Amino acid sequence: MPLHIELIGSLAAVITTLCWIPQIIRIVRHRDTASISLVTNVSLVLGVFLWLVYGMMISSWPVVAANGTTLLLILTILGLKLRYG
């Protein structure tokens, strides 16, 4: 795949992965998850997990790295939701 296409995909992966960090920080600071939807986050975990599996199957490191990291971040949010509920 051409380098410029890989760079666009990698930049998109970084942005969409790191966007979860402010949410985690806010939850930890305020210990409030009332506005976080449990159903939405469980669905997101399933979808991101499937993207991770897909990335492994096609051997795409940007897809694997982005979705592996995103999965950890979303699982963190889900864990905080269950803890602070």
Side-chain angles (χ1 to χ4, degrees):
M1 186 155 321
L3 180 61
H4 70 283
I5 293 174
E6 286 290 332
L7 289 175
I8 290 171
S10 297
L11 181 60
V14 167
I15 292 169
T16 58
T17 297
L18 296 181
C19 77
W20 298 105
I21 293 174
Q23 184 69 64
I24 292 170
I25 292 169
R26 180 166 169 63
I27 292 170
V28 170
R29 281 189 183 155
H30 298 281
R31 303 210 187 311
D32 177 28
T33 60
S35 63
I36 305 291
S37 169
L38 184 61
V39 172
T40 298
N41 278 278
V42 168
S43 299
L44 187 57
V45 163
L46 179 59
V48 170
F49 175 74
L50 292 173
W51 273 112
L52 176 61
V53 171
Y54 171 74
M56 287 186 225
M57 292 174 77
I58 65 168
S59 300
S60 173
W61 74 266
V63 175
V64 170
N67 287 290
T69 305
T70 299
L71 183 61
L72 292 176
L73 294 172
I74 298 300
L75 285 171
T76 299
I77 291 171
L78 192 58
L80 291 168
K81 172 67 176 172
L82 294 174
R83 182 175 180 185
Y84 300 126

